[in-house]
Amino acid sequence: MMKAVIAFLRSFFKRPKVHAMSTPKSEENGGGNHPIAPDNKAAYSSWMKQHPSALIMFKKMMEAAKGKRIVVFLDYDGTLSPIVNDPDRAFMTNKMRGAVCDVSKRFPTAIISGRSRDKVKQFVNLDNVYYAGSHGMDIMAPTRPLTSGGKHRPQLNRKGNEGSFQPAKKFLPAIQEIFTALEESTSKIKGARLEDNRFCVSVHFRQVSKEDYDILEEKVKSVLENYPDFRLTRGRKVMEIRPCIEWNKGHALEYLLENLGLSNSGDVLPLYIGDDRTDEDAFKVIERRGQGISIVVSSVPKDTKAHYSLKDPTEVYKFLSDLATSMTE
């Protein structure tokens, strides 16, 4: 098992660095996945034909999942919790926490978030799930032993770092330098919020005026010019500075499957629910595997590789509740 994981990791880190790419102007202010048609009932109805409701298709999905081992992957913001102006107040409801807890008792479950691992763990507050923070660059196994189908779920390989996996650890000093530089350069821009997500720095601009956005972006890019080993990416009303390593939520999904000993199993069915552009990397992995369920959370039509859709966290709660009670081990 250890040899398989080491071989898996080496295959990724031999790849060349991925450098920042220019982003079309239409994407700069919106963040996340952008609508492909006007927000109206006709456009949404047409989009739903390609990405049908996971609630309506639930019975069909579960029939196809019979005899399969489901592994659940969940984004946090916009999926388990609503999108809010203050990122420090993106709380999930107790009902949602209960649904995630029930699911995690039945299936291996991981939360893969752009936030720091410690922050998302604080929000979710469950001991029996995997936490992958910083878009999968900081992974931690459950603190409690888990079982699935009578079998022990192996924890992450321990390499002197308390059961965690951190492929971008060497970048931590530079990330702190970047955060400090951004604090100084953006402090006078009203509405701008910095978030230290440990292995990436998030610059939230949901409350920044249109007039100030260009100034904010220029200041972020100016800081980034001094750090060629980092790149700028975008999410929902947020700019993020990340190390130039080829690692994202899709790689985190594959790594967790590998760690669970399920990467090459034909009877494994990864199920991923997310709402952001960064979740598309995981959707692509599921598409490439040719086996799995991908669900995008959105109330508007948008470009996505996901097979199914849910409108909002309320529908996510309903889906997870149904999942927890639908199948017997």
Side-chain angles (χ1 to χ4, degrees), residues 25 38 43 50 89 177 220 264 271 310 320:
K25 190 68 177 177
Q50 295 179 312
R89 300 191 63 79
E177 290 178 12
V220 171
N264 297 315
L271 186 158
L310 293 167
L320 293 177

Side-chain angles (χ1 to χ4, degrees), residues 37-214:
D39 184 12
N40 55 50
K41 291 183 179 179
Y44 190 68
S45 177
S46 177
W47 182 77
M48 288 286 287
K49 291 179 181 179
Q50 295 179 312
H51 311 282
S53 168
L55 293 177
I56 293 175
M57 301 297 292
F58 184 81
K59 184 176 180 181
K60 183 177 180 180
M61 278 191 280
M62 292 303 103
E63 288 176 352
K66 286 183 179 179
K68 304 286 186 181
R69 288 184 285 174
I70 295 176
V71 184
V72 179
F73 300 91
L74 304 167
D75 178 35
Y76 184 76
D77 292 275
T79 299
L80 299 181
S81 75
I83 296 294
V84 295
N85 288 332
D86 184 352
D88 290 333
R89 300 191 63 79
F91 304 120
M92 67 192 301
T93 65
N94 287 330
K95 287 174 59 178
M96 182 69 86
R97 182 175 294 104
V100 175
C101 183
D102 290 342
V103 166
S104 67
K105 291 176 181 177
R106 302 285 307 285
F107 315 105
T109 301
I111 312 296
I112 305 181
S113 172
R115 290 178 179 268
S116 71
R117 184 191 71 187
D118 291 341
K119 174 63 75 172
V120 74
K121 185 181 179 184
Q122 178 183 343
F123 277 140
V124 177
N125 195 28
L126 293 173
D127 293 332
N128 56 344
V129 301
Y130 289 82
Y131 291 100
S134 303
H135 302 290
M137 288 185 284
D138 191 7
I139 304 176
M140 181 175 67
T143 57
R144 284 196 324 212
L146 299 175
T147 58
S148 176
K151 297 181 179 179
H152 177 67
R153 294 183 196 168
Q155 292 196 352
L156 294 172
N157 295 310
R158 298 179 181 271
K159 299 179 181 179
N161 52 2
E162 299 182 351
S164 64
F165 172 63
Q166 300 169 336
K169 191 173 183 178
K170 70 176 183 178
F171 294 99
L172 281 175
I175 291 171
Q176 289 306 307
E177 290 178 12
I178 292 171
F179 185 83
T180 300
L182 286 172
E183 275 188 316
E184 295 175 358
S185 65
T186 65
S187 61
K188 294 183 179 180
I189 299 179
K190 186 177 180 180
R193 271 187 88 100
L194 294 183
E195 187 175 10
D196 181 357
N197 285 318
R198 195 172 191 196
F199 290 96
C200 65
V201 177
S202 299
V203 184
H204 298 273
F205 56 88
R206 187 170 295 276
Q207 295 180 289
V208 174
S209 68
K210 291 182 180 180
E211 294 75 17
D212 287 340
Y213 172 78
D214 288 339

